[in-house]
Amino acid sequence: MNNSYKKEWEDSYKRGENNILYPHDEVVKFLNRFVRKKLNFKGGFKDILDFTKTVKGLDFGCGVARSAILMEEFGIESYGVDISSNAIEKAKDNASSFGYDSLSSRLQTIDSNELPYEDNFFDISIAESCLDSMSFGNASALINEISRVTKKYIYFSVISCEVNFKNKLAEDLIVETNHEFGTIQSYYDEERIIELVSHFNSETVFIRNYTATGATKDDLIDSRFFVVLDVS
Ligand SMILES: C[S@@+](CC[C@H](N)C(=O)[O-])C[C@H]1O[C@@H](n2cnc3c(N)ncnc32)[C@H](O)[C@@H]1O
Protein backbone atom coordinates (compact mmCIF):
# COMPACT_ATOMS: atom_id res chain seq x y z
CA MET A 1 0.00 0.00 0.00
CA ASN A 2 1.12 3.50 -0.79
CA ASN A 3 2.45 5.07 2.38
CA SER A 4 -0.20 3.58 4.61
CA TYR A 5 1.20 4.43 8.07
CA LYS A 6 0.84 0.82 9.21
CA LYS A 7 3.70 1.11 11.72
CA GLU A 8 2.18 4.23 13.28
CA TRP A 9 -1.17 2.44 13.70
CA GLU A 10 0.52 -0.64 15.18
CA ASP A 11 2.30 1.62 17.70
CA SER A 12 -0.93 3.48 18.47
CA TYR A 13 -2.77 0.23 19.32
CA LYS A 14 0.27 -0.94 21.36
CA ARG A 15 -0.13 2.23 23.44
CA GLY A 16 -3.75 1.20 24.07
CA GLU A 17 -5.33 3.95 21.96
CA ASN A 18 -8.73 3.55 20.27
CA ASN A 19 -9.61 0.69 22.62
CA ILE A 20 -13.23 1.79 22.24
CA LEU A 21 -15.57 -0.92 23.44
CA TYR A 22 -19.02 0.60 22.85
CA PRO A 23 -20.54 1.42 19.46
CA HIS A 24 -20.93 4.98 18.22
CA ASP A 25 -24.54 6.07 18.68
CA GLU A 26 -24.76 7.10 14.98
CA VAL A 27 -23.88 3.51 14.00
CA VAL A 28 -26.64 2.26 16.28
CA LYS A 29 -29.04 4.76 14.67
CA PHE A 30 -27.93 3.75 11.16
CA LEU A 31 -28.79 0.09 11.84
CA ASN A 32 -32.14 1.01 13.39
CA ARG A 33 -33.08 3.45 10.60
CA PHE A 34 -31.91 1.53 7.55
CA VAL A 35 -31.37 -2.14 8.37
CA ARG A 36 -33.65 -3.42 11.12
CA LYS A 37 -35.20 -1.76 14.14
CA LYS A 38 -34.48 -3.36 17.47
CA LEU A 39 -37.72 -3.71 19.45
CA ASN A 40 -36.57 -5.28 22.73
CA PHE A 41 -33.70 -7.21 24.29
CA LYS A 42 -35.37 -10.58 23.64
CA GLY A 43 -34.34 -10.70 19.98
CA GLY A 44 -37.33 -8.78 18.59
CA PHE A 45 -36.70 -6.74 15.41
CA LYS A 46 -38.77 -4.96 12.77
CA ASP A 47 -36.87 -5.76 9.57
CA ILE A 48 -36.19 -3.12 6.95
CA LEU A 49 -33.76 -5.12 4.80
CA ASP A 50 -34.68 -8.70 3.90
CA PHE A 51 -33.58 -10.92 6.79
CA THR A 52 -35.11 -14.10 5.32
CA LYS A 53 -31.58 -14.66 3.97
CA THR A 54 -28.26 -13.95 5.66
CA VAL A 55 -27.52 -10.23 5.82
CA LYS A 56 -23.79 -9.54 5.69
CA GLY A 57 -21.98 -6.46 6.94
CA LEU A 58 -18.43 -5.13 6.68
CA ASP A 59 -16.78 -3.16 9.48
CA PHE A 60 -14.06 -1.41 7.49
CA GLY A 61 -11.12 -0.05 9.56
CA CYS A 62 -12.72 -2.01 12.37
CA GLY A 63 -10.17 -1.28 15.11
CA VAL A 64 -11.18 -3.46 18.07
CA ALA A 65 -14.43 -4.41 16.26
CA ARG A 66 -17.02 -2.39 18.14
CA SER A 67 -19.25 -2.00 15.04
CA ALA A 68 -18.77 -5.63 13.91
CA ILE A 69 -19.86 -6.84 17.35
CA LEU A 70 -22.90 -4.54 17.24
CA MET A 71 -23.84 -5.92 13.80
CA GLU A 72 -23.71 -9.47 15.20
CA GLU A 73 -26.06 -8.32 17.98
CA PHE A 74 -28.42 -7.20 15.20
CA GLY A 75 -28.28 -10.65 13.56
CA ILE A 76 -25.95 -9.49 10.77
CA GLU A 77 -23.09 -11.80 9.76
CA SER A 78 -20.25 -9.37 10.15
CA TYR A 79 -16.69 -9.16 8.90
CA GLY A 80 -13.92 -6.73 9.77
CA VAL A 81 -10.67 -5.52 8.25
CA ASP A 82 -8.00 -3.18 9.56
CA ILE A 83 -4.45 -2.25 8.63
CA SER A 84 -3.25 -2.92 12.20
CA SER A 85 -2.62 -6.51 13.29
CA ASN A 86 -2.53 -5.31 16.92
CA ALA A 87 -6.08 -3.98 16.47
CA ILE A 88 -7.22 -7.23 14.85
CA GLU A 89 -5.75 -9.26 17.72
CA LYS A 90 -7.78 -7.19 20.21
CA ALA A 91 -10.83 -7.37 17.92
CA LYS A 92 -10.68 -11.18 17.82
CA ASP A 93 -10.37 -11.32 21.59
CA ASN A 94 -13.39 -8.99 21.97
CA ALA A 95 -15.48 -11.06 19.52
CA SER A 96 -14.65 -14.26 21.41
CA SER A 97 -15.51 -12.62 24.74
CA PHE A 98 -19.04 -12.09 23.39
CA GLY A 99 -19.14 -15.72 22.25
CA TYR A 100 -18.95 -14.65 18.59
CA ASP A 101 -16.21 -17.16 17.70
CA SER A 102 -17.10 -17.26 14.02
CA LEU A 103 -16.88 -13.46 13.86
CA SER A 104 -13.41 -13.81 15.31
CA SER A 105 -12.42 -15.87 12.25
CA ARG A 106 -13.89 -13.20 9.94
CA LEU A 107 -11.64 -10.40 11.24
CA GLN A 108 -8.45 -9.85 9.29
CA THR A 109 -5.56 -7.54 8.60
CA ILE A 110 -5.32 -5.93 5.15
CA ASP A 111 -2.25 -4.34 3.68
CA SER A 112 -3.45 -2.93 0.38
CA ASN A 113 -6.23 -0.78 -1.06
CA GLU A 114 -7.98 -3.91 -2.31
CA LEU A 115 -10.59 -5.73 -0.26
CA PRO A 116 -10.48 -9.55 -0.23
CA TYR A 117 -14.17 -9.99 -1.10
CA GLU A 118 -16.10 -10.53 -4.31
CA ASP A 119 -18.40 -7.86 -5.80
CA ASN A 120 -21.60 -7.21 -3.80
CA PHE A 121 -20.54 -9.63 -1.06
CA PHE A 122 -22.00 -7.36 1.66
CA ASP A 123 -25.46 -5.90 2.12
CA ILE A 124 -24.07 -3.03 4.20
CA SER A 125 -20.69 -1.56 5.09
CA ILE A 126 -19.70 0.63 8.01
CA ALA A 127 -16.59 2.82 8.03
CA GLU A 128 -16.71 4.61 11.38
CA SER A 129 -14.02 7.23 12.00
CA CYS A 130 -11.47 5.64 9.69
CA LEU A 131 -11.64 7.14 6.18
CA ASP A 132 -10.40 10.34 7.85
CA SER A 133 -7.52 8.41 9.45
CA MET A 134 -5.66 8.06 6.17
CA SER A 135 -4.73 10.19 3.17
CA PHE A 136 -7.53 11.40 0.93
CA GLY A 137 -5.98 9.33 -1.90
CA ASN A 138 -6.17 6.11 0.10
CA ALA A 139 -9.67 6.95 1.37
CA SER A 140 -10.88 7.50 -2.22
CA ALA A 141 -9.40 4.20 -3.39
CA LEU A 142 -10.79 2.33 -0.41
CA ILE A 143 -14.33 3.76 -0.54
CA ASN A 144 -14.40 2.73 -4.22
CA GLU A 145 -13.50 -0.78 -3.08
CA ILE A 146 -16.14 -0.62 -0.34
CA SER A 147 -18.73 0.37 -2.98
CA ARG A 148 -17.62 -2.57 -5.16
CA VAL A 149 -18.23 -5.09 -2.36
CA THR A 150 -21.46 -3.50 -1.03
CA LYS A 151 -24.98 -4.08 -2.38
CA LYS A 152 -27.11 -1.57 -0.48
CA TYR A 153 -25.81 0.90 2.14
CA ILE A 154 -22.48 2.42 3.07
CA TYR A 155 -22.35 4.33 6.35
CA PHE A 156 -19.28 6.44 7.11
CA SER A 157 -18.25 9.27 9.37
CA VAL A 158 -15.41 11.76 8.90
CA ILE A 159 -14.09 14.65 10.95
CA SER A 160 -15.08 18.17 9.92
CA CYS A 161 -12.62 21.00 9.30
CA GLU A 162 -14.32 22.98 12.03
CA VAL A 163 -13.23 20.70 14.84
CA ASN A 164 -11.78 22.53 17.84
CA PHE A 165 -12.88 25.90 16.34
CA LYS A 166 -9.66 25.81 14.33
CA ASN A 167 -11.39 26.10 10.94
CA LYS A 168 -8.76 23.89 9.44
CA LEU A 169 -8.58 23.47 5.70
CA ALA A 170 -10.00 20.33 4.14
CA GLU A 171 -6.61 18.65 3.96
CA ASP A 172 -4.45 15.80 5.28
CA LEU A 173 -2.26 16.56 8.31
CA ILE A 174 0.21 14.41 10.22
CA VAL A 175 -0.85 14.04 13.87
CA GLU A 176 1.79 15.63 16.09
CA THR A 177 0.08 15.17 19.45
CA ASN A 178 0.32 11.94 21.51
CA HIS A 179 -2.97 10.29 20.51
CA GLU A 180 -2.47 8.54 17.12
CA PHE A 181 0.99 10.19 16.85
CA GLY A 182 2.47 10.08 13.34
CA THR A 183 -0.73 8.93 11.60
CA ILE A 184 -2.76 11.05 9.19
CA GLN A 185 -5.83 13.05 10.17
CA SER A 186 -7.74 14.08 7.10
CA TYR A 187 -10.25 16.94 7.46
CA TYR A 188 -13.47 17.20 5.48
CA ASP A 189 -15.98 19.77 4.32
CA GLU A 190 -19.03 18.97 2.20
CA GLU A 191 -17.17 19.61 -1.04
CA ARG A 192 -14.47 17.09 -0.13
CA ILE A 193 -17.12 14.49 0.83
CA ILE A 194 -18.74 14.95 -2.59
CA GLU A 195 -15.35 14.41 -4.22
CA LEU A 196 -14.68 11.34 -2.05
CA VAL A 197 -17.81 9.58 -3.30
CA SER A 198 -17.67 10.87 -6.88
CA HIS A 199 -16.10 7.80 -8.53
CA PHE A 200 -19.03 5.40 -8.11
CA ASN A 201 -22.82 5.61 -8.36
CA SER A 202 -24.63 6.36 -5.12
CA GLU A 203 -27.46 8.35 -3.63
CA THR A 204 -26.86 10.18 -0.38
CA VAL A 205 -29.79 9.15 1.80
CA PHE A 206 -28.52 10.71 5.02
CA ILE A 207 -25.97 13.41 5.81
CA ARG A 208 -25.59 15.33 9.06
CA ASN A 209 -22.87 17.46 10.56
CA TYR A 210 -23.01 17.34 14.35
CA THR A 211 -20.88 19.72 16.34
CA ALA A 212 -20.57 19.49 20.11
CA THR A 213 -19.73 22.92 21.47
CA GLY A 214 -18.29 23.68 24.85
CA ALA A 215 -19.11 26.60 27.11
CA THR A 216 -15.96 28.50 26.16
CA LYS A 217 -13.94 28.73 22.97
CA ASP A 218 -11.14 26.73 24.63
CA ASP A 219 -13.32 23.69 25.25
CA LEU A 220 -12.57 20.74 23.07
CA ILE A 221 -15.29 20.36 20.49
CA ASP A 222 -16.11 17.48 18.28
CA SER A 223 -17.44 18.07 14.79
CA ARG A 224 -18.14 15.23 12.38
CA PHE A 225 -20.10 14.40 9.27
CA PHE A 226 -22.22 11.23 9.28
CA VAL A 227 -23.20 9.93 5.86
CA VAL A 228 -25.29 7.05 4.51
CA LEU A 229 -25.06 6.19 0.81
CA ASP A 230 -27.43 3.92 -1.08
CA VAL A 231 -25.25 2.16 -3.66
CA SER A 232 -27.90 -0.22 -5.02
C1 LIG B 1 -9.80 6.20 14.71
S1 LIG B 1 -9.60 4.47 14.41
C2 LIG B 1 -11.31 3.93 14.34
C3 LIG B 1 -11.45 2.45 14.57
C4 LIG B 1 -12.87 1.90 14.51
N1 LIG B 1 -13.50 2.11 13.23
C5 LIG B 1 -13.75 2.50 15.60
O1 LIG B 1 -14.73 3.17 15.28
O2 LIG B 1 -13.44 2.29 16.78
C6 LIG B 1 -9.08 4.45 12.70
C7 LIG B 1 -8.81 3.04 12.20
O3 LIG B 1 -8.48 3.05 10.81
C8 LIG B 1 -7.49 2.05 10.59
N2 LIG B 1 -6.80 2.33 9.32
C9 LIG B 1 -6.01 3.38 9.02
N3 LIG B 1 -5.57 3.31 7.75
C10 LIG B 1 -6.11 2.17 7.23
C11 LIG B 1 -6.05 1.54 5.94
N4 LIG B 1 -5.34 2.09 4.95
N5 LIG B 1 -6.74 0.39 5.76
C12 LIG B 1 -7.47 -0.15 6.76
N6 LIG B 1 -7.57 0.40 8.00
C13 LIG B 1 -6.90 1.55 8.22
C14 LIG B 1 -6.59 2.18 11.82
O4 LIG B 1 -5.75 1.09 12.03
C15 LIG B 1 -7.64 2.36 12.91
O5 LIG B 1 -8.07 1.13 13.43
Side-chain angles (χ1 to χ4, degrees):
M1 179 180 293
N2 34 43
N3 210 355
S4 59
Y5 297 83
K6 179 180 170 69
K7 181 184 178 306
E8 287 75 12
W9 281 109
E10 295 292 25
D11 291 347
S12 169
Y13 278 101
K14 249 188 241 159
R15 291 192 298 270
E17 293 163 11
N18 284 305
N19 188 32
I20 311 170
L21 300 179
Y22 290 94
H24 196 293
D25 60 350
E26 281 303 316
V27 174
V28 179
K29 287 179 191 169
F30 160 65
L31 293 181
N32 277 284
R33 280 182 189 129
F34 291 96
V35 180
R36 70 188 326 195
K37 186 165 174 50
K38 191 165 178 128
L39 298 177
N40 52 46
F41 290 106
K42 292 184 278 189
F45 291 99
K46 184 170 186 288
D47 293 343
I48 302 163
L49 296 188
D50 179 6
F51 273 81
T52 58
K53 50 189 174 40
T54 305
V55 172
K56 293 192 181 122
L58 172 66
D59 184 358
F60 174 78
C62 64
V64 301
R66 59 177 174 151
S67 301
I69 288 168
L70 178 73
M71 284 194 272
E72 289 285 325
E73 190 188 312
F74 272 69
I76 299 162
E77 183 178 288
S78 67
Y79 296 68
V81 294
D82 199 281
I83 198 172
S84 163
S85 57
N86 290 333
I88 292 296
E89 204 178 305
K90 292 183 187 197
K92 284 176 183 285
D93 193 41
N94 289 340
S96 297
S97 304
F98 275 88
Y100 297 138
D101 288 331
S102 54
L103 166 60
S104 189
S105 68
R106 287 186 246 110
L107 299 168
Q108 59 177 301
T109 308
I110 53 163
D111 57 8
S112 82
N113 282 346
E114 283 167 21
L115 293 176
Y117 309 104
E118 61 200 41
D119 294 1
N120 293 322
F121 185 74
F122 298 104
D123 297 279
I124 61 166
S125 289
I126 291 173
E128 172 56 40
S129 307
C130 55
L131 293 170
D132 54 353
S133 286
M134 60 186 72
S135 70
F136 184 76
N138 277 347
S140 303
L142 280 160
I143 199 166
N144 271 337
E145 266 295 272
I146 295 171
S147 77
R148 179 185 67 73
V149 300
T150 307
K151 268 192 284 220
K152 186 62 181 166
Y153 292 122
I154 300 173
Y155 160 99
F156 69 93
S157 86
V158 286
I159 198 165
S160 149
C161 309
E162 290 185 16
V163 74
N164 294 353
F165 292 112
K166 295 263 167 60
N167 289 318
K168 290 176 190 295
L169 297 175
E171 62 183 358
D172 301 344
L173 295 178
I174 303 279
V175 177
E176 286 171 354
T177 44
N178 290 347
H179 182 77
E180 299 177 357
F181 178 80
T183 65
I184 289 190
Q185 184 71 74
S186 177
Y187 293 88
Y188 282 79
D189 54 16
E190 275 191 61
E191 211 176 308
R192 210 177 195 211
I193 291 175
I194 290 166
E195 198 184 330
L196 181 74
V197 304
S198 65
H199 302 291
F200 55 91
N201 289 328
S202 70
E203 186 191 346
T204 303
V205 290
F206 181 92
I207 179 161
R208 297 273 197 288
N209 174 210
Y210 294 128
T211 300
T213 52
T216 73
K217 277 217 154 197
D218 295 330
D219 283 350
L220 181 84
I221 67 157
D222 190 25
S223 184
R224 298 192 73 79
F225 289 98
F226 299 90
V227 183
V228 179
L229 305 175
D230 182 339
V231 290
S232 63

